[in-house]
Amino acid sequence: MKKGNLLLWIIVGAIVLLCAGSCGAYNGMVSKQEAATTAFADVQATYQRRADLIPNLAKTVQAYAKHERETFEAVTKARASVSQIKLDADNLTPEKLQQFQNAQGELSQALSRLMVVAERYPELKASENFKSLQVQLEGTENRINEARQKYNLAVQDYNQDVRSFPNVLFAGIFGFQRMAKFEAASGAEKAPELNFE
């Protein structure tokens, strides 16, 4: 009888430990996943801030450089392309993230061309509206970089948790998948060419 009771207590203890471990692992993964998705929402909010600034910047430059129609069309097209891509943090695949990054890269290139146009007009550079918008845009670009770094750190923490033992066992059971990180755009390792013509 004592051996039977001891065996029963061992089985019950093992079940309790397994349940406690799985609950702890599950709650930890949920917490880290939420931190990563919140960080991703911050990235999206920062990109939205940039997209909201662009029409004002474009209008200000356009007032001085009316004949630069091609540049303004490129900015408008790139901004529209960015706004069409909808990402869901719960279903963030590397492919979707790459598509999002590519669209953002096109918008960055269009903005760079717009800033080159602006540099050709000394009276525009002296405009307080332009200066203010330029400062806001530069600040937004810094915020985007910082938000992406925070997101990547949160994803790294989550991915390490999901892949660590014994959490890797529970991650598969509960459906936790690795999350994708932001990566540098292709060609980012090359220094930009400056052209002052």
Side-chain angles (χ1 to χ4, degrees), residues 19-179:
C19 288
S22 66
C23 287
Y26 180 83
N27 291 338
M29 287 184 281
V30 165
S31 176
K32 290 181 180 188
Q33 185 181 49
E34 285 299 313
T37 57
T38 298
F40 183 71
D42 291 344
V43 171
Q44 287 183 303
T46 308
Y47 275 125
Q48 184 61 51
R49 182 178 191 271
R50 177 172 73 171
D52 292 343
L53 283 172
I54 290 170
N56 293 330
L57 182 65
K59 284 178 188 173
T60 303
V61 175
Q62 197 169 21
Y64 287 89
K66 293 179 179 156
H67 63 280
E68 299 284 355
R69 185 174 177 199
E70 185 178 303
T71 302
F72 299 116
E73 287 175 357
V75 170
T76 303
K77 181 181 174 188
R79 183 176 180 270
S81 173
V82 164
S83 66
Q84 290 176 354
I85 298 174
K86 303 295 182 207
L87 290 180
D88 179 13
D90 295 329
N91 188 19
L92 191 61
T93 64
E95 295 80 23
K96 289 180 182 178
L97 189 59
Q98 186 61 46
Q99 182 184 17
F100 179 77
Q101 282 184 255
N102 290 343
Q104 291 294 341
E106 289 175 20
L107 182 57
S108 292
Q109 288 175 354
L111 281 174
S112 294
R113 288 191 300 272
L114 181 67
M115 297 309 280
V116 167
V117 166
E119 290 295 318
R120 294 183 193 145
Y121 296 88
E123 66 277 8
L124 173 61
K125 290 192 292 187
S127 162
E128 284 302 314
N129 285 342
F130 178 73
K131 285 180 184 177
S132 172
L133 287 168
Q134 190 175 22
V135 166
Q136 287 184 46
L137 196 58
E138 288 170 3
T140 299
E141 293 299 324
N142 290 335
R143 288 179 187 185
I144 288 170
N145 188 43
E146 186 177 322
R148 286 173 53 145
Q149 288 174 350
K150 286 180 181 179
Y151 169 76
N152 282 347
L153 287 173
V155 168
Q156 176 183 343
D157 189 37
Y158 167 77
N159 285 346
Q160 284 175 341
D161 197 46
V162 168
R163 294 178 60 211
S164 299
F165 186 81
N167 288 358
V168 70
L169 302 173
F170 299 116
I173 294 169
F174 295 124
F176 288 95
Q177 303 291 325
R178 291 180 65 190
M179 294 178 73

